[in-house]
Amino acid sequence: MPSLPWGGNGGRRGGDGPILPPIPASRAIVDCGIYVDGRRVSAHVDYASAHEIVRETGEGFVWLGLHAPTQGQMNTVAEVFGLHPLLVEDVVHAHQRPKLELYDGTLFMVLRTMKYIDHDSLDRANDIVDTGEIMIVAGHDFVITVRHGDHTGLAGVRARLETNPERLAVGPPAVVHAIADHIIDGYLAVVEEMQDDVDEVEERVFSSSTKNLDIDVVYLFKREILELRRVVMPLDEPLAWLSGDDQRPRALLRVERTETFRQKENRRHFRDVHDHLRTVIDAVTEYDERLTSLLGAAATKVGIQQNTDMRKISSWAALAAVPTMVAGFYGMNFDWMPELHWHWSYPVLLLSVISVCLLLWRTLHRNHWL
């Protein structure tokens, strides 16, 4: 493969000084091994040598694991495995939208990982889920997994596959399936954990008291659910395609098919993963609809409470207006005013004010304004 347009080894320039030596790709390598007939035949072999051995023997495949490689590191890997420059660009830059693309028979799949963040109280929770990213580049004799994030480890997936040589003997499709299954199972765990939180939010909104109602909590969960939708919804069509469903090819019209990943047995495994994804999508859709309803209910409840408060304030203002009005009349300092010099004027006037206030209070209380 010719050198990539931006240079294969990608040196670093330190400010205005000389170009610094490139960081070797080995620093980004988590694990690399050759698998023949479902069994690992080498440990921590150099990826270039491993790829050369597989190509010369025509047996097995290479599984290379990378963690957050730089542009220069990924360029050297791309030269060895013959990866497309656009694919390399997507691999290096994280925060890609989940997708599935094919480059000349090489499958490129982006998956977002999710981890539920434990919290003691909804009021003190700033985030409910944390996300990472795993990218899979798979050909007929190699698999490259690139991880971005702190909770995207695949050591457990590799270990489980190595204990199942029969499945691992299928080759790269088995690795792609195992990773997708591991990530989708993580989605299931997250939505199950969020069930209790959504129920608690709903209980708060519909409780008889508004003291514990904080509409910011509802907005927080609405934001997290939207994040979940952006993670799971784009995977529906790619996994449907891998499972053999040709009814929804819109996202893959520009992509040629790689039948290796769509053989009968592989389709069965991907269909199981797709079923789990549909379960997650249904749960996320349900949460989204419930939270939308809760937002409306919370806003309505806050509005009703504000109207109730305003009625109470208005009622007390009306009660205070009676003595204020009477005091205003008798504070005008006229010489001739009714009953001004009568001995019983003050007690009668005071009793009258109290009587009117009590009558007004009873009327307002009967109409549930107080």
Side-chain angles (χ1 to χ4, degrees), residues 202-215:
E202 187 174 35
E203 183 179 351
R204 284 192 180 192
V205 171
F206 291 108
S207 64
S208 58
S209 174
T210 59
K211 293 181 179 180
N212 296 326
L213 177 59
D214 187 357
I215 200 168

Side-chain angles (χ1 to χ4, degrees), residues 36-199:
V36 179
D37 295 330
R39 301 187 182 278
R40 186 164 182 162
V41 297
S42 65
H44 303 289
V45 67
D46 175 72
Y47 66 90
S49 302
H51 184 254
E52 183 178 356
I53 292 171
V54 169
R55 286 290 171 89
E56 288 180 354
T57 61
E59 296 180 348
F61 67 96
V62 180
W63 184 355
L64 171 64
L66 302 173
H67 181 258
T70 64
Q71 183 76 65
Q73 291 171 335
M74 197 62 206
N75 289 344
T76 58
V77 174
E79 287 186 345
V80 172
F81 291 93
L83 305 182
H84 195 281
L86 293 177
L87 186 154
V88 175
E89 184 178 350
D90 284 347
V91 166
V92 173
H93 297 91
H95 308 294
Q96 297 286 330
R97 184 176 184 269
K99 61 182 179 179
L100 176 114
E101 293 180 346
L102 299 177
Y103 292 87
D104 299 327
T106 300
L107 180 144
F108 175 56
M109 193 171 189
V110 178
L111 299 166
R112 300 291 299 276
T113 61
M114 289 190 300
K115 179 183 178 182
Y116 181 81
I117 301 176
D118 292 325
H119 46 270
D120 299 329
S121 171
L122 295 179
D123 299 314
R124 293 192 294 269
N126 295 322
D127 293 293
I128 306 301
V129 295
D130 187 20
T131 60
E133 197 165 348
I134 292 179
M135 302 175 182
I136 308 172
V137 182
H140 72 281
D141 59 0
F142 69 88
V143 177
I144 302 173
T145 54
V146 181
R147 303 189 290 105
H148 295 275
D150 297 329
H151 58 85
T152 55
L154 295 175
V157 177
R158 188 187 288 260
R160 284 193 296 272
L161 273 177
E162 290 179 352
T163 61
N164 188 1
E166 182 179 353
R167 179 59 187 158
L168 193 54
V170 174
V175 178
V176 176
H177 164 262
I179 295 174
D181 186 52
H182 170 71
I183 293 175
I184 302 303
D185 285 346
Y187 296 170
L188 286 170
V190 169
V191 295
E192 288 175 1
E193 293 278 4
M194 291 190 70
Q195 176 72 50
D196 293 336
D197 290 333
V198 175
D199 290 342

Side-chain angles (χ1 to χ4, degrees), residues 18-35:
I19 296 178
L20 301 177
I23 300 175
S26 58
R27 293 193 182 179
I29 295 176
V30 178
D31 198 358
C32 180
I34 300 175
Y35 296 86

